Amino acid sequence: MADNNAVSLGEGQQQRADVMKRTIKDSVFTNLFQDKKYLLQLYKALHPEDTDTTEDKLTDITIKNVLTDNIYNNDLGFIVEHRMVILAEAQSTWTMNIIIRALMYMVQTYHDYFSRTSQNLYKSKKVKIPVPEIYVIYTGDRTTRPAEVSLAQEFFDGKQSCIDVKVKMIYDGEEGDITNQYVMFTKVCNEQMALHGRTQEAVLEAIRICKDRNVLKEYLSSKEKEVVDIMMLLYDEEEIMRSYVESERHDERIETAKEMLLNNEPLEKIIKYSRLSKETILKLQKE
């Protein structure tokens, strides 16, 4: 039976719903680190002092809830044996809300871990839990670059509370390491997108430049078609979301104009506050 509520969705809302309900596709970040070879390189970049850990000691535990609107979908999560759990996110837009999301990811990750290791939280025996570490690889532009952001500092004004979450920030990485190469890749992609738009030409040129500069060269050489597909899908989804936002803004302006018309506000004032054209407002007036 069809959902009668679906008919009431505007075109922009339906597009957004379609995007959010798709099977979750990998970003280049998650696709890169699905390969244990690169995952180990990431771990070594985060813990260069550990020279003993090998690929077989790393377990991918990235939260993937496909075909749902569930918030629990993080970029990357992995366990180093049973002693350490690492969550990592790639972000191009600065937001302190990542701390809240990180907390939610960590709770879900531990929930899954206890289930996977058959540990019962309601028994008297103390459970074993790996030490958590949370990282954000930030690829945007920013003048201030804190090494760490904290839930208590940012949301509770530094007051002591029963809970805190600390997220370590990575901006450029160490020259040549895997985090540095990933950041360089995103920067080259942005440069080419500025030149060629959100096109396949931009993606292919970015891949060519990165391979020439020995940036993720092996990965891009072996996964070029996959990377192109991932980037083009992301561009498409970003375009749909932009259209949706513009549609929502237009709808809000229409509602503002209608309300002002009902209150018999002057035409010039309605144009100023609704930011709609005179023709549009006169048309609304006739409805």
Side-chain angles (χ1 to χ4, degrees), residues 206-245:
I207 291 173
R208 183 193 66 77
I209 292 170
C210 285
K211 288 196 291 187
D212 286 347
R213 295 179 184 174
N214 202 27
V215 172
L216 299 180
K217 183 176 181 178
E218 185 181 10
Y219 166 74
L220 293 173
S221 296
S222 63
K223 298 280 188 77
E224 181 165 329
K225 183 181 182 304
E226 200 167 343
V227 170
V228 172
D229 289 344
I230 289 169
M231 295 299 291
M232 293 312 299
L233 177 63
L234 291 175
Y235 287 167
D236 288 346
E237 293 188 351
E238 286 170 8
E239 187 58 42
I240 290 172
M241 289 304 293
R242 270 198 304 277
S243 298
Y244 167 75
V245 169

Side-chain angles (χ1 to χ4, degrees), residues 3 40 64 89 91 103 107 170 193 221 266 272 279:
D3 184 355
L40 181 61
K64 296 177 181 177
E89 294 286 304
Q91 294 286 312
L103 171 61
V107 169
I170 298 173
M193 189 173 64
S221 296
K272 178 181 177 181
E279 293 74 18

